Amino acid sequence: AIVGGGQTKNPSTEEFLKAFDSVNTDALIVLPNNKNIILAAQQAASLSSKRVQVVPSSWDSKMYAPGVPPDPEPVVKYR
């Protein structure tokens, strides 16, 4: 699941918990890519009934998320 946010809209603990519940698994890895949301992610992890590991990161985790389809328009087009 991807929890939306940005520099001016940090997701809440409740939003993280809802995202955790929306995924059909017992264990999750959370890759918050903004230092402002790490604490909310960690708090949600401690409140969740699932096993959740928060790994602080500074890169765009959406690019590396399993299951995310690649961009249908390649940067380089072959003839």
Side-chain angles (χ1 to χ4, degrees):
I2 296 176
V3 178
Q7 286 300 99
T8 59
K9 192 227 177 266
N10 296 324
S12 67
T13 300
E14 182 180 356
E15 289 173 288
F16 276 108
L17 285 170
K18 286 179 181 177
F20 297 168
D21 289 340
S22 73
V23 181
N24 187 22
T25 187
D26 294 337
L28 298 158
I29 298 173
V30 180
L31 301 168
N33 63 351
N34 184 308
K35 66 182 180 180
N36 295 331
I37 64 171
I38 292 172
L39 289 177
Q42 290 172 332
Q43 183 175 15
S46 72
L47 296 172
S48 178
S49 60
K50 298 182 179 193
R51 293 184 326 228
V52 180
Q53 180 67 47
V54 178
V55 180
S57 58
S58 60
W59 44 274
D60 190 355
S61 58
K62 292 186 298 291
M63 292 174 55
Y64 299 99
V68 175
D71 187 348
E73 291 294 323
V75 176
V76 177
K77 294 186 180 183
Y78 297 96
R79 293 181 192 203

